[in-house]
Amino acid sequence: MSNVRVAGVGLTPFGNTPERTSRDLFAEASITAFEDSGVPRDDVDALLYGNFMGELSEHQGHHGPLMAEAAGVQAPATRYESACASSGTAVRDAVMRIRNGEDDVLLVGGAERMTNLGTAGATEALAIAADDLWEVRAGTTFPGAYALMAQAYFTEYGGEHEDLAHIAVKNHENALNNDKAQYQSAIEVDDVLEAPQVSSPLGLYDSCPLSDGAAAIVLTSEEYADEHGLDAPVSITGTGQGGDRMALHDREHLARSPAAREAGEQAYADAGIDAADVDFAEVHDCFTIAEVLAIESLDLFPVGEGISAARDGRTTADGETPINLSGGLKAKGHPVGATGASQIAEVATLLSGDHPNSEFVESGTTAVAHNAGGTVASATVHVLEVDN
């Protein structure tokens, strides 16, 4: 099997740009990715593209060929939809296609246009990632669902809102130097605790924002990278995918994420590593409690200890295992279809030394990207490593 090299990455700034279409956003990200990679567009074998709500936000389906055209690519194109894990799923399929020799060069990414819907419209659109029959019609929203998960965690393992507040503060701090981040501003613990409550115990600063944005990655086989002399020191060495029951009331545990654990175990085994080898991670912190569930599911911290990791300084930029050096979804932003691919881009640039926060992981060689859909009914995990 061929190793999969990250040849180039491109990100738009994430933020509130309701006037920009998803094709405009993806075109920008793709231009940057091709320039970064040095790979000609004519060499691309296919586009794998993640998007969740295009039919609702832009009255647009059949995204694959539309985005290939926007990227300037003449190749087969497929749209992937797995809620917030859409482009993470696209990356996983791309890795497997290159490994099995089907393709040498793939353009992978995603985009989402959300803010043009407004808060109420976007909330309604996001809700279709839950079980419409048993959750949405009963009034469940994702802030409410993650609040239930937080309450279940506090009951089973302990913790309090202040522990979650330290996660929000940490991720805003990490985003200060990231020029692609939606929120490049510091907050304090008291800001989080005193913010308007969204769904107890979660408040405004426990929640990621609505975001517009795009991400694009050029992936190649190791043979192609070597033959063309590409500067591509980072490889995706492990991939995994897990699933869980859609509705919260059908799950055995609300305070754990079996889909993420399954994906993580697969990715670690695939890469031939274990959790102790991971130097840092980008995880899907759509709400502060989601970061806790993620780092425990990835075995970066024992179950019940993730809640205090930020408060104790263990996951800060200078901590033992930095988490979300990009700012995470919480501060960098969460344009749903772009998020999984953007995490890969952030990890790759952190490992290669090209990220504003690379100084915190100068000796790091191995990292993980964790992408989740809905209330983690879907999850992908990827291991990335850099040549020594």
Side-chain angles (χ1 to χ4, degrees):
M1 292 191 302
S2 176
N3 284 330
V4 179
R5 293 285 180 170
V6 181
V9 303
L11 297 173
T12 67
F14 288 1
N16 186 344
T17 55
E19 73 285 353
R20 297 192 68 183
T21 63
S22 57
R23 74 183 82 184
D24 176 33
L25 292 163
F26 191 65
E28 179 185 332
S30 298
I31 288 170
T32 304
F34 281 118
E35 289 177 348
D36 186 44
S37 70
V39 173
R41 286 172 171 79
D42 289 346
D43 286 0
V44 173
D45 295 309
L47 165 64
L48 286 67
Y49 173 81
N51 176 269
F52 173 56
M53 62 171 66
E55 290 84 353
L56 299 176
S57 65
E58 298 187 287
H59 195 63
Q60 180 67 63
H62 206 190
H63 284 239
L66 186 70
M67 296 306 164
E69 181 179 352
V73 170
Q74 292 280 350
T78 303
R79 182 254 191 109
Y80 287 73
E81 189 280 297
S82 188
C84 310
S86 293
S87 58
T89 305
V91 170
R92 174 168 163 77
D93 271 14
V95 169
M96 293 189 289
R97 286 173 60 152
I98 292 174
R99 280 182 174 180
N100 67 25
E102 181 179 348
D103 300 300
D104 273 319
V105 180
L106 293 172
L107 177 62
V108 192
E112 208 74 67
R113 184 186 184 193
M114 302 173 67
T115 63
N116 62 307
L117 293 173
T119 301
T123 300
E124 183 177 358
L126 288 166
I128 67 171
D131 187 323
D132 181 73
L133 185 60
W134 296 110
E135 294 183 307
V136 179
R137 297 186 192 186
T140 301
T141 63
F142 278 108
Y146 274 92
L148 289 172
M149 297 163 81
Q151 291 171 7
Y153 188 100
F154 290 169
T155 298
E156 190 163 354
Y157 303 115
E160 58 185 0
H161 190 201
E162 188 167 345
D163 294 307
L164 300 179
H166 282 271
I167 296 172
V169 170
K170 167 183 69 70
N171 291 347
H172 274 259
E173 181 73 20
N174 289 343
L176 288 176
N177 296 322
N178 186 351
D179 63 359
K180 306 300 184 186
Q182 186 162 348
Y183 294 141
Q184 299 170 47
S185 56
I187 59 173
E188 304 293 337
V189 168
D190 285 345
D191 294 327
V192 183
L193 298 179
E194 296 169 6
Q197 189 172 86
V198 176
S199 185
S200 179
L202 304 179
L204 185 63
Y205 282 121
D206 291 287
S207 312
C208 70
L210 300 176
S211 312
D212 307 308
I217 311 166
V218 178
L219 299 180
T220 75
S221 65
E222 188 168 40
E223 293 78 11
Y224 180 96
D226 290 344
E227 180 182 346
H228 292 82
L230 300 184
D231 180 17
V234 177
S235 298
I236 301 177
T237 59
T239 181
Q241 184 171 3
D244 200 357
R245 293 179 178 271
M246 185 85 148
L248 286 181
H249 63 260
D250 286 329
R251 299 187 189 173
E252 184 177 356
H253 296 287
L254 295 189
R256 301 182 192 178
S257 298
R261 179 167 293 278
E262 179 183 5
E265 289 173 350
Q266 289 177 15
Y268 291 159
D270 190 32
I273 68 164
D274 58 35
D277 297 312
V278 175
D279 296 305
F280 63 93
E282 288 287 314
V283 305
H284 198 96
D285 62 323
C286 50
F287 298 91
T288 48
I289 186 61
E291 179 168 309
V292 176
L293 300 178
I295 62 178
E296 292 184 357
S297 297
L298 295 171
D299 276 337
L300 301 178
F301 293 88
V303 173
E305 292 187 18
I307 187 66
S308 60
R311 190 174 191 169
D312 294 341
R314 301 172 70 186
T315 57
T316 55
D318 57 356
E320 63 190 69
T321 309
I323 302 294
N324 287 331
L325 283 168
S326 70
L329 284 62
K330 173 66 198 73
K332 186 183 75 173
H334 182 28
V336 175
T339 289
S342 76
Q343 292 174 314
I344 300 292
E346 296 282 5
V347 169
T349 52
L350 282 160
L351 283 170
S352 66
D354 297 322
H355 194 280
N357 286 332
S358 288
E359 63 180 288
F360 296 107
V361 287
E362 285 181 333
S363 61
T365 61
T366 305
V368 163
H370 157 279
N371 188 203
T375 47
V376 204
S378 304
T380 62
V381 173
H382 291 91
V383 177
L384 286 82
E385 298 183 72
V386 66
D387 294 341
N388 291 321

